Amino acid sequence: MPSLRLFAAAREAAGVARADFEGTTVAEMLQAAEASFGERFSAVLRQSRVWVNGEPATAETAVTGHDVVAVLPPVSGGAGEVAATSAPPRATPSRPAPPRTASPRFAPATTRPSATSRPTAAPPPRTAAPGPTAAPGPTAAPPRRPRAPESPPPAPGTRAQGPTMTRPAPALPSEAAAGPPGRAPAVPGATAKPAASATTKVTASDEWWQPLARLGVVYDNTRPHGRIGLAWAVVTVGATIAGPTWIAAWLAVSAFVGASQAAGTRRALDVAPPPWLAAVTSLAPPVAAMFGGRYAVAVIATGLGLAVIVRVFVNHKGTAENVALALVIGMATGSAAAAVALTRDVNIAAAVYLLACACIYDAGAYLVGTGASAAWEGPVAGVVALIPVTILAAVVLVPPFPGGTPLALGLLAAVLAPLGPLAGTALLGRRDADAPGLRRLDSLIFLGPAWAWLVTTILR
């Protein structure tokens, strides 16, 4: 479930620094936190900024089990400041509150009294001037000093400013845009920026992995992924045993579907790669692998080079981005499919070992990553699941591999298999995008070509 991180006054009011709450949006999580931590936390929350995964958030921002919602109170007050701002206006002299530039509850900068202004309390009643023969008695009013020009009345909901000569502290960025009078939203607008403070520094140091976490995978558990994945693995291993042509043809179909889904998902975002171009392009590497590794490598290099040429030299920016992205999607999925066919052409045991590593990693990442509170838990579980597979291969696959080679291949899988889903998310544009065809192959995007090259170098 999503995780709530609390800092400064919010942490003091809640009594904890981190907690997990159910909710599909930021508003639902914060409501659950208010119900759990009480009114003091609610008071601090009304003055706080809320970010999700290091970015400003709104009440409607969707959250999942991998997201971190951070509550950043203002630097200069926390809960104490909330209590002070709720008091009614007073006419007695007091220390001026820090000016607030964007909140209706505080007077704008142009209404602040000058340093020489006097309190606006009513002056004493004026008495008649004594006549020339009247002697000043003990009760005669002393001569009055000239009054300074009156300041404009304070805006509704603000404190009256006293006659103190202390210069008000400058407004802090985190105290801007506090909300309408008498009520402050729990979540600020997305354009608000927190103050450059110690709290922000702590957030940056604690969440250094957030840019990488945004490329993680949000697993969809609404479909029977276990049975679908098992069926796909059985068919793939069967095609591998049947021969290089069979596995190349089967994975060409998988690449065609995955590339089409990825390009279709991208069309809802900033660019619109043609799905037909990505799908057709993905067929080229596995078909070329049927004729040999050199042809597959030539096709992949040509496709990626053509994507670079189009992106750099085509004048129409939108068309260049669309075509280049379609070519990259097609080459990424196609090269993953071609790598298995090339490995099978070298050695059937090496191809089965490669598919076993990819399938075991995907299963471990899915089982643990579904509903995990951190994005790294699923990939770590997938890597741990590779350990028994590698040990078994080191016992069974010597020969045909020289001693130690299965261990090197297992280490290669542990390093490169987690990078494939990150590349898949980058191609899709969203970590929660629904593209099961691409997700069947994404673990092989980096692992497959490297594995095929290493096996070919060792066994040939």
Side-chain angles (χ1 to χ4, degrees), residues 13-434:
V16 295
R18 179 166 184 165
D20 296 333
F21 291 99
E22 294 284 354
T24 58
T25 64
V26 171
E28 293 179 4
M29 281 196 63
L30 295 181
Q31 289 174 1
E34 290 184 85
S36 175
F37 298 140
E39 180 60 31
R40 183 183 175 191
F41 175 78
S42 299
V44 176
L45 183 62
R46 286 194 290 269
Q47 299 294 319
S48 301
R49 310 270 76 80
V50 178
W51 284 35
V52 175
N53 297 333
E55 296 181 351
T58 64
E60 294 77 17
T61 300
V63 293
T64 65
H66 302 282
D67 292 328
V68 176
V69 180
V71 177
L72 307 177
V75 181
S76 60
E81 182 178 342
V82 175
T85 57
S86 62
R90 294 181 298 175
T92 57
S94 62
R95 180 182 181 86
R100 312 216 175 190
T101 59
S103 173
R105 293 178 298 170
F106 297 87
T110 55
T111 63
R112 292 202 305 266
S114 63
T116 58
S117 62
R118 304 284 298 175
T120 57
R126 184 177 298 181
T127 58
T133 58
T139 61
R144 293 184 297 110
R145 296 173 58 188
R147 293 193 315 172
E150 293 187 357
S151 303
T158 62
R159 300 183 191 175
Q161 302 294 324
T164 176
M165 299 295 291
T166 305
R167 178 179 296 177
L172 296 173
S174 62
E175 297 179 352
R183 179 172 58 89
V187 180
T191 57
K193 300 290 183 181
S197 62
T199 301
T200 305
K201 293 179 181 178
V202 171
T203 302
S205 62
D206 283 353
E207 312 300 343
W208 60 268
W209 48 269
Q210 285 301 334
L212 190 62
R214 284 196 290 272
L215 291 177
V217 181
V218 176
Y219 296 98
D220 180 15
N221 56 6
T222 59
R223 288 192 296 265
H225 286 275
R227 284 172 285 177
I228 294 175
L230 180 61
W232 186 88
V234 170
V235 174
T236 304
V237 173
T240 302
I241 297 174
T245 302
W246 286 96
I247 187 59
W250 165 245
L251 291 182
V253 174
S254 300
F256 183 92
V257 174
S260 177
Q261 290 176 346
T265 301
R266 264 290 187 174
R267 291 179 67 86
L269 301 178
D270 50 346
V271 293
W276 65 267
L277 179 58
V280 171
T281 304
S282 68
L283 294 176
V287 171
M290 297 179 184
F291 301 94
R294 67 183 66 182
Y295 298 102
V297 172
V299 167
I300 295 173
T302 302
L304 295 178
L306 185 59
V308 174
I309 292 173
V310 170
R311 185 64 180 86
V312 173
F313 295 103
V314 174
N315 293 329
H316 196 285
K317 182 179 179 181
T319 302
E321 291 179 351
N322 296 340
V323 174
L325 183 57
L327 292 173
V328 171
I329 291 174
M331 287 297 103
T333 54
S335 61
V340 181
L342 294 175
T343 304
R344 171 61 180 88
D345 188 48
V346 175
N347 185 272
I348 184 175
V352 173
Y353 185 19
L354 169 61
L355 292 174
C357 288
C359 293
I360 291 297
Y361 172 82
D362 288 340
Y366 173 76
L367 292 176
V368 176
T370 303
S373 59
W376 53 265
E377 295 181 21
V380 169
V383 171
V384 172
L386 292 175
I387 296 177
V389 179
T390 303
I391 295 175
L392 178 63
V395 175
V396 175
L397 298 182
V398 179
F401 290 106
T405 302
L407 296 177
L409 291 173
L411 178 61
L412 184 70
V415 173
L416 296 183
L419 301 181
L422 303 184
T425 300
L427 295 177
L428 294 170
R430 298 202 325 260
R431 60 193 293 237
D432 59 344
D434 186 20

